[in-house]
Amino acid sequence: MSDPVTVLDDLNAESEEVDSLVRGLSAQQWAAPTPAAGWTVAHQIAHLAWTDRAALLAATDPEAFAAEAAEALASPGTFVDEGAEKGAALPPAELLAGWRDGRERLLRVLREAPPGARFPWYGPPMSALSLATARLMETWAHGQDVADALGVVRAPTARLRHVAWIGLRARDYAYLVRGLTPPAEPFRLELISPEGELWAYGPEGATQIVRGPALDFCLLVTQRVHHADTALVPLGAEAAHWLTIAQAFAGPAGQGRPPKGGPEEGAS
């Protein structure tokens, strides 16, 4: 895994890329629907601003974050949508300015975090490195929704390695949040990077392996694509099952996106 400075620099770069997608949009474009049902471009940016604010609170005032998290988890099926709805109601210029301010403040706090510091979150507590990686993952995923809504094709970058890493790290969480027992054996990823390099995670002797394009894996664990619409190849029954439930994000179990042309339900 990369060092904190690299992850924070990559988080800043990922945020700037998403920012470049929305700066200068018309009011009509801000209201454009995205692949997440009921969410516009404004909802996507509002969600990023909301979660950046939550992460900043977790890093600076754990007690206040715990109080807010308790309220949020009391309504697990609605609190994410409610936060996005509130932000999306703001004028676009105010929403964008608030997101920029919040993410810059969070970056400063995480850069200054002492070694070994851990912060509460909606799942297990996180180090500054893990929290930054989680923010990068979400920024990339919601940026993908924005790009899809605007008809923009983004070139994948080496920053995807952080998304892939947290996707594997969150393997057990994907099982537990569904009331399932995680497999005892560690899994292995063998992914082809956007530059054609091999990214390998997990022990070489693992019998449960997922192979394929890094982009496909990242889209899958952020639940931006159905596993049937990827080029991922699982080796082993447990690996195949994991691809049907994988999620890199905390909170309730995501429903995922439907297969192309399929009847299954989508998710935000």
Side-chain angles (χ1 to χ4, degrees):
M1 184 55 196
S2 300
D3 62 272
V5 173
T6 299
V7 176
L8 289 166
D9 287 347
D10 283 353
L11 170 57
N12 185 56
E14 195 64 44
S15 298
E16 285 297 323
E17 181 175 307
V18 178
D19 196 306
S20 72
L21 293 173
V22 298
R23 67 177 69 122
L25 291 183
S26 66
Q28 184 178 9
Q29 288 172 310
W30 276 99
T34 69
W39 280 32
T40 65
V41 169
H43 284 84
Q44 299 288 348
I45 299 303
H47 177 70
L48 291 178
W50 183 87
T51 43
D52 281 345
R53 177 189 170 275
L56 180 64
L57 193 64
T60 57
D61 191 343
E63 291 186 2
F65 173 80
E68 288 205 4
E71 291 184 16
L73 295 177
S75 54
T78 60
F79 79 94
V80 171
D81 285 334
E82 289 169 355
E85 189 68 34
K86 183 177 180 180
L90 297 172
E94 184 178 344
L95 171 59
L96 185 54
W99 176 47
R100 287 170 173 168
D101 177 67
R103 75 183 198 234
E104 289 171 3
R105 291 171 62 195
L106 176 61
L107 276 170
R108 286 198 298 271
V109 168
L110 293 180
R111 289 189 192 279
E112 296 169 359
R118 297 188 68 80
F119 308 112
W121 198 237
Y122 297 101
M126 290 188 172
S127 65
L129 175 62
S130 293
L131 188 57
T133 305
R135 297 307 312 126
L136 191 156
M137 174 270 297
E138 274 222 295
T139 301
W140 177 79
H142 290 280
Q144 185 63 45
D145 289 341
V146 171
D148 288 344
L150 300 175
V152 175
V153 178
R154 299 192 299 171
T157 73
R159 295 191 295 270
L160 288 179
R161 68 192 187 278
H162 306 301
V163 182
W165 178 84
I166 201 171
L168 179 60
R169 291 273 294 177
R171 186 204 70 169
D172 286 3
Y173 182 80
Y175 281 84
L176 293 170
V177 77
R178 290 165 174 79
L180 303 174
T181 301
E185 179 189 352
F187 289 3
R188 180 173 172 83
L189 292 180
E190 295 178 356
L191 305 176
I192 303 302
S193 78
E195 296 80 17
E197 301 174 344
L198 174 65
W199 290 346
Y201 307 85
E204 292 186 6
T207 62
Q208 304 296 317
I209 305 170
V210 171
R211 292 176 176 154
L215 176 59
D216 284 16
F217 180 75
C218 292
L219 288 169
L220 180 73
V221 296
T222 55
Q223 298 196 347
R224 263 58 192 175
V225 69
H226 190 274
H227 65 89
D229 296 321
T230 72
L232 297 171
V233 178
L235 278 70
E238 288 288 0
H241 179 225
W242 178 45
L243 293 186
T244 69
I245 63 171
Q247 70 178 63
F249 49 89
Q255 295 177 324
R257 295 279 165 85
K260 293 178 180 178
E264 298 180 28
E265 296 182 355
S268 299

